[in-house]
Amino acid sequence: MSTLREKILNTATDLFQTRGINSTGVDTIVAVAGTTKMTLYKHFVSKENLILEVLEKGHQDFQSWLSEKLNSNTKKPSEKLQKLFEFIEEWVTSPDFHGMGFIKASAEFPNEECPVHQLSSEQSRQFRQYISSLASEANIQDADGLALQLSLLFEGAVQAEQMKRGSGAMKYAKKAAKILIDGAIKA
């Protein structure tokens, strides 16, 4: 990736997180990145394409970070599942947290036919599938059911933290997740 392309992508990421996607125009992105529209469109064929790449990168970065944290802190599948919300809480309470891209984007692009909404929905499904695979590895009988419950807790708590930092939502989501995970492990 060229450094100018990277700069545009990073600038767009920062602006989308802090100002919103629809509130951030191409003019603002190029002004803050110190480039031109022509250069932006050389690297990204449209604003929509740029949004999709920002979402992809954010999702991949989060998934890689979370997987690395889980894999480097424990090898036992049930412990990975139990530590999941501990690490998510660490992420949500970090100063760099500005919300979850797919949650924000789905709210700004509610039309299910829109590629941004479709990608957001797919990323939500992928995260739920990730939790389901952790649950399956831990021999949870209803891995998909537990994954749906935990992803609802995750998405709700992240939304609450996006709306008001320090809301305590993640702390309570972590407690609820522990009850659900402990119950599923015992079943």
Side-chain angles (χ1 to χ4, degrees):
M1 190 182 321
S2 78
T3 41
L4 190 49
R5 186 179 198 288
E6 231 171 77
K7 185 174 185 177
I8 294 167
L9 190 61
N10 291 335
T11 299
T13 298
D14 291 342
L15 291 169
F16 292 164
Q17 289 176 342
T18 56
R19 297 181 184 185
I21 299 168
N22 287 322
S23 299
T24 304
V26 171
D27 289 333
T28 302
I29 296 167
V30 297
V32 174
T35 189
T36 64
K37 280 186 184 181
M38 192 167 89
T39 302
L40 183 142
Y41 289 125
K42 182 178 124 190
H43 294 288
F44 306 95
V45 295
S46 64
K47 182 180 176 188
E48 183 176 88
N49 179 259
L50 176 59
I51 295 165
L52 294 171
E53 288 206 36
V54 165
L55 289 174
E56 280 291 345
K57 183 180 181 320
H59 186 69
Q60 289 171 359
D61 289 351
F62 171 71
Q63 283 289 153
S64 296
W65 177 85
L66 185 58
S67 293
E68 172 63 29
K69 292 293 271 187
L70 289 172
N71 292 331
S72 65
N73 282 281
T74 185
K75 299 296 178 225
K76 192 173 175 188
S78 61
E79 287 177 8
K80 284 183 184 180
L81 195 56
Q82 290 170 326
K83 288 191 172 285
L84 180 67
F85 270 74
E86 182 179 314
F87 294 128
I88 290 172
E89 183 181 37
E90 179 183 319
W91 172 68
V92 166
T93 57
S94 79
D96 295 333
F97 174 77
H98 294 289
M100 191 76 201
F102 70 77
I103 295 173
K104 286 181 163 185
S106 66
E108 288 199 53
F109 295 86
N111 181 344
E112 291 182 14
E113 303 300 315
C114 174
V116 174
H117 185 89
Q118 289 173 351
L119 178 59
S120 298
S121 178
E122 175 59 20
Q123 288 178 339
S124 176
R125 188 200 65 74
Q126 287 172 1
F127 185 67
R128 191 170 47 253
Q129 182 57 46
Y130 176 75
I131 297 171
S132 181
S133 65
L134 290 175
S136 292
E137 289 171 19
N139 295 316
I140 303 298
Q141 281 186 327
D142 185 10
D144 289 340
L146 179 63
L148 179 57
Q149 292 171 325
L150 295 178
S151 67
L152 289 170
L153 283 173
F154 165 76
E155 290 181 20
V158 166
Q159 181 66 35
E161 286 293 323
Q162 283 177 185
M163 292 170 59
K164 175 150 178 39
R165 290 298 303 254
S167 71
M170 191 52 73
K171 178 176 86 172
Y172 288 102
K174 187 170 105 175
K175 286 180 180 183
K178 181 171 178 19
I179 293 167
L180 291 169
I181 293 165
D182 288 348
I185 289 172
K186 290 176 187 170

